[in-house]
């Protein structure tokens, strides 16, 4: 069972989907060169209402991010950012 959230223009409903299938993949990688660390994250998910053969309405969109971090020479502190 899967509880699907359907948001309309004036109300939000929660529906029980008796036969649902979720599938996805996540990938995270980090690579360090000297004091710099580069990172990548990606997530891909799909969901289907198997009773009606339609996509689930509330499955999150694909997510991707890149990061860069710099450590001090003595590795006592670091700073960075992610997009």
């Amino acid at each position: 069972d899967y509880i699907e959230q359907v948001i309309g223009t004036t109300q939000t409903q929660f529906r029980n989907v008796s036969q649902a299938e979720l599938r996805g993949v996540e990938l995270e990688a980090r690579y360090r060169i000297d004091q710099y660390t580069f990172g990548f994250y990606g997530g891909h998910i799909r969901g289907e209402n198997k009773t009606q053969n339609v996509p689930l309405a509330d499955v999150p969109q694909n997510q991707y991010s890149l990061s860069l971090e710099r450590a001090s020479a003595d590795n006592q502190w670091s700073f960075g950012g992610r997009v």
Side-chain angles (χ1 to χ4, degrees):
D1 282 6
Y2 181 82
I3 306 298
E4 181 177 37
Q5 180 181 10
V6 180
I7 300 173
T9 55
T10 59
Q11 64 182 3
T12 299
Q13 295 180 338
F14 293 90
R15 295 188 295 203
N16 183 47
V17 178
S18 60
Q19 293 183 355
E21 179 178 279
L22 293 170
R23 57 195 175 275
V25 64
E26 289 182 275
L27 173 69
E28 184 173 4
R30 294 172 61 93
Y31 185 72
R32 184 166 183 167
I33 301 173
D34 298 324
Q35 297 168 309
Y36 295 94
T37 303
F38 303 91
F40 168 80
Y41 168 80
H44 176 83
I45 188 168
R46 291 290 179 258
E48 183 178 357
N49 179 334
K50 298 301 262 183
T51 306
Q52 299 175 348
N53 291 322
V54 296
L56 293 171
D58 63 344
V59 175
Q61 294 182 356
N62 298 336
Q63 299 178 4
Y64 305 100
S65 68
L66 297 172
S67 63
L68 174 62
E69 183 178 311
R70 184 183 190 282
S72 65
D74 57 3
N75 284 322
Q76 293 296 314
W77 56 265
S78 66
F79 65 93
R82 180 173 49 180
V83 181

